[in-house]
Amino acid sequence: MTASQVRTAYPRSDAVDGQPAAFRQRFDAVRATTMKLAAPLSAEDCALQSMPDASPVKWHLAHTTWFFETFVLERYAPAYLPFHPQFRVLFNSYYHTVGDRHPRPERGLLSRPALDQVHAYRAYVEHHLAPLFTRADEDAALRAVLELGLQHEQQHQELIVTDLKHLLSRNPLQPGYMDRWPLVSVHPQRATWNAYAGGLVAVGHHGEGFCFDNEEPRHRVFLPPFELASHPVTHGEFLAFVDDGGYLRPELWLSLGWDTVQAQRWTAPLYWERRDNRWTTFTLQGRVEFDAATPMVHLSYFEADAFARWAGMRLPTEFEWEAAAAGCPVDGNFLDSGALHPVVPRANAPAGQPGQLFGDVWEWTRSAYAPYPGFTLAEGAIGEYNGKFMCNQYVLRGGSCASPRSHLRATYRNFFPPEARWQFAGLRLARDAR
């Protein structure tokens, strides 16, 4: 495997400049964050699967380790002996070229291996990776795949949070993962519109730093003048949509969206429930009465699109969003804060500058997830990472309260099918310039 086949840019960090210890420290920090997320959970918590789209925490712990074992140790440590030969099948996700896979909907049936054996698997693989960090300083392809493994694990950190939330919500006890409610109280900010001139703009990753292959190559697109709302749509604003019969009005919905509403019997957003004549929502702190000023979360693309139509607006394209975010700092409410729930923006941006574009909720765009002009797949299993999902998905931008801050950038393209609701996804309104 060559660096070009890996098709991912390695960040120009201390590890590249002759200080592999710095990269090892970051590796240890990422792996420790994953374990910290699982630490408050029982073995039972870690073993259960609430729906086919979600995975048990135990599986996430093992799969992120399987990635390093399969794509690093098997290639770069010829004397390496697998921890358990059957793990190659049990913890393969969607890499058909690697071999057989355990069925995704049946991951919750894996009572064995036990959680402590999964922990031992993580320690075993980390031990055998250790000698490779110094070697990686001289081997660009090895550096690249190690970096991809870290970025992959950060993606699964968010999935641990989202999948766990769905699991806990299905428990009649409505247990919380943590007890931090209420979160820090911040006065709500008035939403405004920010205007952008558009024109011929460059999009896609460029320069230094890591990126996934779906962020390349950089190219130019033409944008008519447009406006973006300074903040994502709030719980209170979405409540007005619900109260106005939004889930009962087919004229607001895409055809496939309305079919989904009917088939799934949606009458309100995921996790919403009326109690004592008040709307509540399930959070990782348990069930609470929501704050009307916080960003709306756990919306499907269909719901986001219907709300925008109801409001007389539209969703932004992913390129409008990226053009607005270019040059903006990656500031906001992320996994690092520990809130694991959207919070009210602390302040409006200065006049003429965009509001907070990162954190709190992933923001649906109206852009179908498709390859950029000139996109090519990497050879081998690594080529399955992103490209084969470029069908029937929509792009989200910006990151969420469950995303690690260091994992995000303005060119990052997340993607999910339009009916998905369990991710921390919301929306920001857009409109054509007036």
Side-chain angles (χ1 to χ4, degrees):
M1 182 186 300
T2 67
S4 61
Q5 289 172 335
V6 173
R7 291 278 303 148
T8 182
Y10 183 75
R12 300 182 185 278
S13 63
D14 290 343
V16 180
D17 295 332
Q19 299 180 30
F23 183 77
R24 176 60 194 264
Q25 290 170 5
R26 195 164 70 82
F27 174 88
D28 290 342
V30 170
R31 298 283 285 178
T33 295
T34 306
M35 295 303 294
K36 183 178 178 180
L37 291 172
L41 305 174
S42 67
E44 293 83 358
D45 290 330
C46 292
L48 298 179
Q49 179 179 21
S50 57
M51 63 171 174
D53 284 339
S55 299
V57 172
K58 182 173 72 174
W59 188 90
H60 287 296
L61 296 176
H63 169 70
T64 50
T65 301
W66 172 95
F67 189 97
F68 285 106
E69 181 178 60
T70 303
F71 295 118
V72 180
L73 292 177
E74 288 188 9
R75 170 66 178 83
Y76 293 98
Y80 175 75
L81 296 177
F83 179 82
H84 193 300
Q86 290 182 324
F87 282 14
R88 185 179 177 87
V89 173
L90 289 183
F91 302 118
N92 182 2
S93 54
Y94 52 73
Y95 294 92
H96 295 274
T97 52
V98 170
D100 293 336
R101 300 162 300 132
H102 183 76
R104 180 174 182 175
E106 298 180 8
R107 291 171 183 171
L109 301 179
L110 298 176
S111 60
R112 305 292 176 88
L115 182 59
D116 59 356
Q117 191 175 13
V118 170
H119 289 164
Y121 178 41
R122 288 178 67 87
Y124 178 85
V125 167
E126 289 172 4
H127 171 76
H128 284 85
L129 285 170
L132 296 179
F133 288 106
T134 299
R135 176 180 164 189
D137 190 45
E138 303 297 330
D139 189 328
L142 174 57
R143 290 201 309 268
V145 74
L146 281 169
E147 178 62 33
L148 182 61
L150 284 186
Q151 299 287 335
H152 168 260
E153 181 139 349
Q154 288 186 303
Q155 289 180 319
H156 278 269
Q157 289 168 0
E158 180 156 6
L159 289 171
I160 285 173
V161 174
T162 55
D163 294 357
L164 175 65
K165 183 173 183 178
H166 190 268
L167 173 67
L168 296 178
S169 77
R170 301 303 302 273
N171 188 322
L173 299 178
Q174 300 277 276
Y177 169 65
M178 60 180 61
D179 184 15
R180 287 194 55 193
W181 202 268
L183 301 176
V184 177
S185 178
V186 180
H187 293 297
Q189 303 294 325
R190 182 177 62 86
T192 59
W193 287 95
N194 296 310
Y196 301 88
L200 197 60
V201 300
V203 296
H205 188 266
H206 69 102
E208 299 180 353
F210 174 88
C211 76
F212 289 110
D213 57 358
N214 64 3
E215 300 171 56
E216 295 181 313
R218 189 165 174 83
H219 61 289
R220 295 188 296 175
V221 298
F222 180 79
L223 301 178
F226 66 97
E227 297 180 354
L228 284 186
S230 57
H231 300 135
V233 168
T234 66
H235 277 77
E237 290 166 337
F238 203 88
L239 177 59
F241 169 79
V242 175
D243 288 343
D244 196 38
Y247 284 87
L248 303 173
R249 297 170 55 182
E251 73 273 15
L252 297 176
W253 297 79
L254 294 169
S255 177
L256 185 58
W258 182 247
D259 291 346
T260 303
V261 169
Q262 298 298 295
Q264 301 296 325
R265 299 182 179 181
W266 291 352
T267 59
L270 181 66
Y271 301 135
W272 280 31
E273 182 180 315
R274 282 188 77 85
R275 292 190 175 183
D276 299 325
N277 206 35
R278 294 183 177 182
W279 282 107
T280 65
T281 188
F282 184 77
T283 74
L284 283 160
Q285 289 79 23
R287 182 159 293 279
V288 300
E289 186 175 349
F290 60 68
D291 182 344
T294 57
M296 185 59 207
V297 68
H298 296 300
L299 294 177
S300 66
Y301 173 84
F302 292 139
E303 291 164 298
D305 178 78
F307 177 90
R309 189 172 290 109
W310 172 81
M313 307 297 173
R314 62 174 175 84
L315 298 177
T317 69
E318 65 166 314
F319 303 127
E320 288 173 333
W321 192 98
E322 185 175 326
C328 292
V330 183
D331 290 334
N333 171 32
F334 306 106
L335 176 71
D336 316 59
S337 75
L340 302 181
H341 191 76
V343 298
V344 179
R346 292 188 175 275
N348 279 321
Q353 296 184 21
Q356 178 184 314
L357 287 165
F358 294 93
D360 283 317
V361 294
W362 286 102
E363 298 178 14
W364 284 107
T365 74
R366 67 192 302 180
S367 298
Y369 180 51
Y372 285 169
F375 174 82
T376 57
L377 287 175
E379 296 179 10
I382 291 294
E384 297 189 62
Y385 199 105
N386 284 313
K388 71 179 186 180
F389 297 109
M390 292 175 173
C391 178
N392 299 333
Q393 316 250 10
Y394 280 83
V395 174
L396 303 96
R397 295 296 194 116
S400 80
C401 56
S403 307
R405 178 178 179 174
S406 64
H407 185 64
L408 301 173
R409 56 201 161 269
T411 59
Y412 193 110
R413 305 174 77 202
N414 198 359
F415 54 91
F416 277 98
E419 70 276 9
R421 302 212 290 176
W422 90 108
Q423 291 300 313
F424 285 89
L427 75 147
R428 184 185 303 261
L429 292 173
R431 66 187 184 190
D432 298 335
R434 298 186 173 185

